Amino acid sequence: MPDEPSGRPYPAPPTIRAPECSGDLPTNVHPHSSLPLFTTSRSEPRPASGEVYTWYIRYPVYEVYTSRTLCPRVGGRPPRKIDGPGPRIEPRPAGPGPAAYDRPVTDDVKIGLVGFGFGGKYFHAPLIAAAPGVEFAGVVTRSPERQAEVAQLHPGVPTFGSLAELKAAGAQAVAISTPAATHIPLVHEAVGLGLAVVSDKPFALDAAAARGAVEAAEQAGVVLSVYQNRRWDADLLTVKKLVEAGGLGTVFRFESRFERFDPTGKPPAAGGGILLDFGSHLVDQALYLFGPADSVYAELDATGPDELESRVFVAITHTNGVISHLIGNWLEGAPGPRYRVSGSTGSFVLEAPMEGQEALLLKGLNPATAAADWGVEPESDWGKIYRGDDGTPVPTERGSWDTYYPAFAAAVRGEGEVPVDPRDAIASMEVLDAARRSAATGQIVSLGAAG
């Protein structure tokens, strides 16, 4: 039997027989794992149905294998098999065996990146490179200029000509940051290679394509997530905390804006237009805060007959009664508040146009180099709660884009759920599809149970 990293031999794995599953699954979880922590103590709950479970002990995390299946956890999926290098969580016969010790769970997850344009260079590569528990495995790009940029910005990180080459070099996962129309084909290619996948937004161009990719990943047992990093915006985290704490009473309206004034340019075609580019964040945030949509109304405007839309307004009526007004605009000379959240006991208004994590990345900083400054908003940018007065400042929560890739790596290791469920992206695409139909007809589009 191999030794643990300290040089001491691993203890012999004890075998336990657990009682039948019940509705109350255990909450005792190892601090480095989302799997239940089983012990031989009679006082610990054991969610199994008469199965013999064996502890295969790895340092520093316990992994549990069974001759059949693990009892599912409340609110989550059962562990799935992860192909490729790294630890596995899969059915095994009870009893010790060398295969249970093939790799330590402390191995960094090797994550590669497809694309090194604006998004890949600024929003993915720095966060992958700085993430604990992650090894930046390389960049897939055929552009000599971008290969040179990779070498300059990330010395020692290799470049590859294809996903297959990245996989052959040992990558376990890949982040896709390429033009919107290429996301789904690349997701399917990565899933076919057995690579865990992070897809940038918009995940797809429509809900049907999104659903097909999610189902393909589920059938293949491949980990898939979508890069909705703005769930961890400092300002959105502040809104979420206020709403959940009841600080505004019963919320009835949520207003959210992505607005800028750029009369010399136009929305980049790579993003798929403002509805998909800005809308995928705006809609995801609204659904994240207030749940599924019941109906959608939208207005779209383009700068010319052959141009992508540059202005969008989407109104969502959520099934809980909250109404979200979402605005994206490339040509707004007087941008409105980033958020206004109206409730029965007050309204929260945040005037600052955008929180600062993006600005830090564009300056060439990352969570490691920015250190204590990462995600911290100045007091001048704090929002206020108004109750017919001058307003009470609310300290902004710390932004935490830097938590996405460590959480994704943990999911690849089988230690937790993905940071963003890909089925959330299907729900967002259903809203965006409905918004396009609404704008074309001028009618409210009902989603009902499908939303």
Side-chain angles (χ1 to χ4, degrees):
M1 184 175 294
D3 291 341
E4 64 178 9
S6 67
R8 297 187 300 271
Y10 283 98
T15 299
I16 61 174
R17 182 174 294 275
E20 186 175 352
C21 275
S22 67
D24 297 324
L25 298 188
T27 57
N28 55 311
V29 174
H30 191 282
H32 299 291
S33 175
S34 66
L35 295 178
L37 176 58
F38 294 90
T39 76
T40 55
S41 167
R42 290 180 178 272
S43 63
E44 301 256 351
R46 301 164 184 154
S49 52
E51 296 295 332
V52 175
Y53 281 79
T54 299
W55 264 0
Y56 289 90
I57 300 175
R58 292 178 172 178
Y59 182 88
V61 178
Y62 298 106
E63 291 190 352
V64 182
Y65 301 89
T66 172
S67 58
R68 295 186 187 173
T69 58
L70 285 168
C71 186
R73 289 169 282 130
V74 171
R77 301 188 181 93
R80 57 168 69 102
K81 179 178 177 181
I82 306 298
D83 291 323
R88 296 171 180 266
I89 297 179
E90 60 184 80
R92 291 184 185 270
Y101 308 95
D102 52 1
R103 288 181 179 88
V105 295
T106 51
D107 282 352
D108 289 348
V109 174
K110 298 178 180 179
I111 301 179
L113 173 64
V114 181
F116 207 68
F118 183 82
K121 183 190 306 181
Y122 291 111
F123 294 141
H124 291 273
L127 296 174
I128 295 172
V134 171
E135 177 185 333
F136 194 1
V139 178
V140 176
T141 178
R142 297 189 183 96
S143 165
E145 293 80 8
R146 289 178 177 171
Q147 290 171 354
E149 285 185 298
V150 173
Q152 177 187 1
L153 296 173
H154 301 280
V157 173
T159 56
F160 302 94
S162 68
L163 270 171
E165 291 179 16
L166 178 69
K167 166 73 172 179
Q172 298 159 268
V174 65
I176 295 169
S177 182
T178 54
T182 68
H183 290 175
I184 290 299
L186 286 168
V187 168
H188 281 288
E189 183 180 351
V191 167
L193 290 168
L195 287 166
V197 187
V198 171
S199 173
D200 210 340
K201 61 80 194 171
F203 179 49
L205 301 184
D206 56 52
R211 187 175 296 105
V214 171
E215 291 174 353
E218 290 176 346
Q219 292 167 8
V222 171
V223 174
L224 172 64
S225 188
V226 180
Y227 194 62
Q228 293 292 354
N229 58 313
R230 292 199 175 276
R231 289 189 181 186
W232 293 272
D233 279 3
D235 45 26
L236 187 81
L237 293 174
T238 306
V239 171
K240 185 172 185 288
K241 183 177 180 179
L242 273 175
V243 170
E244 291 178 347
L248 302 175
T250 300
V251 173
F252 55 84
R253 190 180 305 277
F254 172 66
E255 299 174 23
S256 176
R257 294 173 174 83
F258 279 5
E259 294 178 321
R260 64 181 61 179
F261 184 62
D262 186 2
T264 62
K266 59 184 179 181
I274 288 293
L275 179 64
L276 291 180
D277 193 0
F278 288 3
S280 59
H281 278 314
L282 291 166
V283 169
D284 178 75
Q285 289 181 333
L287 300 185
Y288 180 58
L289 290 172
F290 301 110
D294 186 66
S295 64
V296 177
Y297 170 79
E299 300 170 2
L300 304 178
D301 295 307
T303 54
D306 299 321
E307 300 288 343
L308 294 169
E309 69 275 355
S310 57
R311 294 180 292 273
V312 59
F313 168 78
V314 178
I316 299 173
T317 300
H318 298 265
T319 56
N320 65 1
V322 175
I323 296 175
S324 292
H325 285 177
L326 313 176
I327 300 169
N329 199 330
W330 198 265
L331 296 168
E332 176 54 70
R338 173 69 182 89
Y339 294 111
R340 184 167 69 169
V341 189
S342 301
S344 58
T345 62
S347 295
F348 175 74
V349 179
L350 192 144
E351 298 284 353
M354 194 68 71
E355 60 99 75
Q357 292 176 92
E358 176 178 342
L360 291 174
L361 291 170
L362 295 181
K363 291 177 181 177
L365 298 174
N366 64 39
T369 55
D373 292 333
W374 182 266
V376 176
E377 295 297 301
E379 187 172 347
S380 59
D381 287 347
W382 291 358
K384 294 181 179 181
I385 293 178
Y386 292 89
R387 296 182 173 91
D389 51 18
D390 293 333
T392 302
V394 177
T396 301
E397 295 293 299
R398 187 177 188 132
S400 53
W401 291 7
D402 53 315
T403 61
Y404 183 93
Y405 276 108
F408 177 73
V412 174
R413 289 191 294 266
E415 297 170 9
E417 297 298 323
V418 290
V420 176
D421 189 325
R423 289 197 170 271
D424 290 353
I426 299 175
S428 291
M429 291 309 309
E430 288 173 342
V431 170
L432 293 170
D433 286 353
R436 202 171 290 282
R437 295 198 302 274
S438 174
T441 63
Q443 303 295 312
I444 294 173
V445 175
S446 177
L447 292 175

